[in-house]
């Protein structure tokens, strides 16, 4: 966990890990649940696996990379 890269190709896209999986970096999107903003993974695989944590790392989740974002 000593090496990470900054996300410099798309500063608007948040990236991060979900739950205990610190290897898969998903795109993160903000959703409102109970009127409070929460970060969740953009792909179905990354959801419901725990709390999303934002990182300054490059997205490496294939499912997330396949999702076009603005
Ligand atoms: Zn993902």
């Amino acid at each position: 966990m000593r090496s990470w890269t900054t996300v410099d190709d798309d500063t608007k896209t948040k990236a991060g890990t979900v739950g205990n999986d610190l290897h898969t970096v998903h795109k993160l999107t903000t959703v409102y649940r109970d009127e409070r903003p929460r970060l969740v993974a953009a792909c179905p695989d990354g959801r419901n696996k725990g709390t999303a944590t934002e990182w300054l790392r490059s997205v490496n989740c294939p499912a997330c990379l396949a999702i076009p974002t603005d």
Side-chain angles (χ1 to χ4, degrees):
M1 294 304 299
R2 285 284 73 189
S3 66
W4 54 64
T5 56
T6 56
V7 178
D8 55 6
D9 56 341
D10 187 351
T11 55
K12 290 186 299 183
T13 301
K14 293 178 183 293
T17 57
V18 178
N20 293 323
D21 182 356
L22 299 181
H23 296 287
T24 306
V25 182
H26 301 272
K27 287 179 183 175
L28 299 181
T29 184
T30 303
V31 297
Y32 285 84
R33 187 172 297 169
D34 299 330
E35 299 183 8
R36 295 175 58 184
R38 285 178 56 126
L39 283 172
V40 298
C43 73
D45 282 353
R47 300 207 176 176
N48 302 315
K49 287 187 176 177
T51 304
T53 303
E54 187 177 359
W55 291 83
L56 290 177
R57 291 169 62 185
S58 297
V59 174
N60 64 13
C61 170
C64 282
L65 290 173
I67 299 172
T69 53
D70 296 330

